[in-house]
Amino acid sequence: MHLSNRNTSQWQKIDSDHHLHPFTDYKDLNNTGSKIIVSAKGTYVTDSENNKLLDMMAGLWCVNIGYGRKELSEVAKQQMDLLPYYNSFFKTATTPSVELSRILSDITPKGINKFFYGSSGSESNDTLVRLVRRYWDILGKKNKKTFISRTYAYHGSTMASASLGGMQAMHGQGDLPLPGFVHVTPPYYYKFGKNMSESEFCNYAVSEVEKKINEIGPDNIAAFIGEPIQGAGGVIIPPPNYWQLIQKLCKKYEILLCVDEVICGFGRTGEWFGSQFYNIEPDIITFAKGITSGYLPLSGIGISDQVSNIIIDRGGEFYHGYTYSGHPVPCAVAIENIRILKEEKIIENVKNNIAPYLQKRMKEFENHPLVGEVRGQGLLVGVELVKNKKQKEFFEPTGKVGNICRDHCMNNNLIMRAVRDGMMCSPPLTITKEDIDICIDRFSKALDLTAKDVNKLTI
Ligand SMILES: *Cc1c(COP(=O)(O)O)cnc(C)c1O
């Protein structure tokens, strides 16, 4: 279905004239023009020039069951015909939001049984900040307000969620972070590991958290928040013991453990949630993206019994919510999406079959002269491009080589994302081994072309 039969350059012109994109240098985009995406099926998206691109990013880390699943569009239509909208503010509820909450309580980490909805990951992390501060207020610990997060964390783009995030460039715009948000070293061994072994580095990264807790004072710390595997920060895989030690610290100092499951949730690690993969029991989780496989906007926050009991029994009214909290249409789509994930055993297949294959094939690139490290877990991969492998020397300025490589990928009908000078993959969970082979082939070409360009750049 096309809205009209405009051609590519007409779409690009109107796009430049009237549309401001997220995270975009507008002048730069207007020089090249947008790639206009018109349709998609399975793991491939099609642009307005009829190129079929292998989407190794699942849209934006979100199209978990792949494109073109009619079951989801049919459920959305049925729900729209039956009840397109109703709110849940004034002692009303809609059936999909109620049913989804029951289903989520079965699959989310142990102890998490209450759910509050929004429409984006950013919103849910804002909800998290308000709810956590409210929790400590109710308990009479009114100084427990500060959040500890990590450098390179991504938690969204609103004022509070960007403050939770650890992206320097974002903090540089809009006077962020807000007061009450601090950041520590992430568990990024390749970049920050120096001469330590991985387990020494793990202890170091955890000790940095403890140092920060003591610097600010445990009585002033509300929560620690982290993505199980940092996604937009560059697919940062923590050392095996990291999350266990963080959980211990949180217990020791009476700090809530908050886990942002926006990318890891709904199967990406080969478990339903990243918290289950790392065997931790968070007090609060947030989720979005994969819950509807991106077909409609929906997010939420899942709250443990221990926290929700306090909020419910002693909190009175929680003055917070969104017009679209528990919107019936995305909730109905989420129920269908979760049914498909379960019945087609998609997450088991990721764990036992597809993820090991993707990781094994991508690891082959560690032989490439440009590649410092290939790291990954589940269906997340990061390929670190470096100037000098032996000395782990990164490119300066950061980001240039990554963008060159991304453009070569795109010209080879392969969608990957560059983060600094790393190349990221986060494909649909339904990707086949045949498509992984195609990805390897195309990425290999893109890397070789990038290496040629780099040789021209640096003498
Ligand atoms: C994408 C993302 C968010 C923000 O979600 P939006 O829907 O873009 O607001 C938050 N946390 C993580 C880990 C994400 O990847």
Side-chain angles (χ1 to χ4, degrees), residues 198-373:
E198 196 182 19
S199 73
E200 284 166 352
F201 172 71
C202 179
N203 291 334
Y204 165 76
V206 173
S207 75
E208 288 290 288
V209 179
E210 187 159 22
K211 211 164 92 188
K212 187 61 87 179
I213 293 170
N214 287 318
E215 181 190 313
I216 293 171
D219 292 345
N220 301 318
I221 309 280
F224 177 91
I225 185 166
E227 305 149 76
I229 294 168
Q230 285 172 252
V235 180
I236 299 168
I237 317 279
N241 213 18
Y242 177 82
W243 276 110
Q244 290 298 320
L245 295 174
I246 292 289
Q247 179 167 266
K248 257 194 207 150
L249 267 192
C250 289
K251 290 217 163 86
K252 177 174 172 190
Y253 291 106
E254 220 194 323
I255 290 165
L256 293 181
L257 176 59
C258 301
V259 175
D260 182 335
E261 294 272 8
V262 172
I263 285 177
C264 289
F266 302 93
R268 189 146 296 281
T269 62
E271 302 290 340
W272 277 96
F273 289 86
S275 301
Q276 293 152 343
F277 181 83
Y278 287 112
N279 200 18
I280 52 173
E281 287 174 19
D283 297 294
I284 298 178
I285 61 170
T286 51
F287 50 85
K289 296 194 168 106
I291 187 170
T292 59
S293 285
Y295 281 49
L296 282 176
L298 178 67
S299 70
I301 150 170
I303 305 154
S304 69
D305 298 332
Q306 184 222 323
V307 173
S308 66
N309 286 342
I310 301 293
I311 301 280
I312 293 165
D313 291 345
R314 295 165 57 180
E317 181 171 348
F318 186 38
Y319 297 110
H320 176 71
Y322 309 107
T323 301
Y324 298 135
S325 290
H327 193 299
V329 183
C331 286
V333 168
I335 292 167
E336 184 65 4
N337 180 57
I338 293 167
R339 183 192 69 75
I340 289 172
L341 284 169
K342 276 186 190 161
E343 286 184 11
E344 298 182 7
K345 301 200 183 324
I346 291 170
I347 298 173
E348 287 93 323
N349 192 45
V350 166
K351 180 176 177 171
N352 299 322
N353 202 12
I354 292 297
Y357 188 71
L358 177 71
Q359 298 301 341
K360 177 176 134 273
R361 297 277 355 242
M362 292 300 289
K363 201 78 179 164
E364 293 166 17
F365 289 111
E366 282 194 342
N367 295 321
H368 195 279
L370 215 52
V371 174
E373 177 185 61

Side-chain angles (χ1 to χ4, degrees), residues 14 21 42 45 89 154 168 176 194 219 222 231 245 264 279 306:
I14 300 168
H21 297 212
V45 299
F89 276 45
Y154 188 78
Q168 214 179 10
L176 301 176
K194 297 200 182 90
D219 292 345
L245 295 174
C264 289
N279 200 18
Q306 184 222 323

Side-chain angles (χ1 to χ4, degrees), residues 143-167:
N143 294 326
K144 278 178 95 66
K145 290 292 152 71
T146 296
F147 285 77
I148 299 181
S149 176
R150 286 95 52 86
T151 304
Y152 299 138
Y154 188 78
H155 297 297
S157 200
T158 55
M159 296 294 280
S161 62
S163 297
L164 281 176
M167 301 293 192

Side-chain angles (χ1 to χ4, degrees), residues 99-150:
E99 187 66 20
L100 176 61
S101 305
R102 181 190 68 78
I103 292 168
L104 287 174
S105 71
D106 282 343
I107 59 175
T108 47
K110 204 175 135 212
I112 295 202
N113 289 305
K114 295 279 198 289
F115 302 91
F116 187 105
Y117 298 103
S119 306
S120 71
S122 304
E123 278 179 3
S124 280
N125 281 320
D126 273 44
T127 296
L128 178 144
V129 169
R130 295 205 47 191
L131 189 112
V132 165
R133 287 183 171 168
R134 177 84 192 116
Y135 169 80
W136 289 120
D137 274 348
I138 295 168
L139 287 176
K141 307 204 168 174
K142 294 189 188 292
N143 294 326
K144 278 178 95 66
K145 290 292 152 71
T146 296
F147 285 77
I148 299 181
S149 176
R150 286 95 52 86

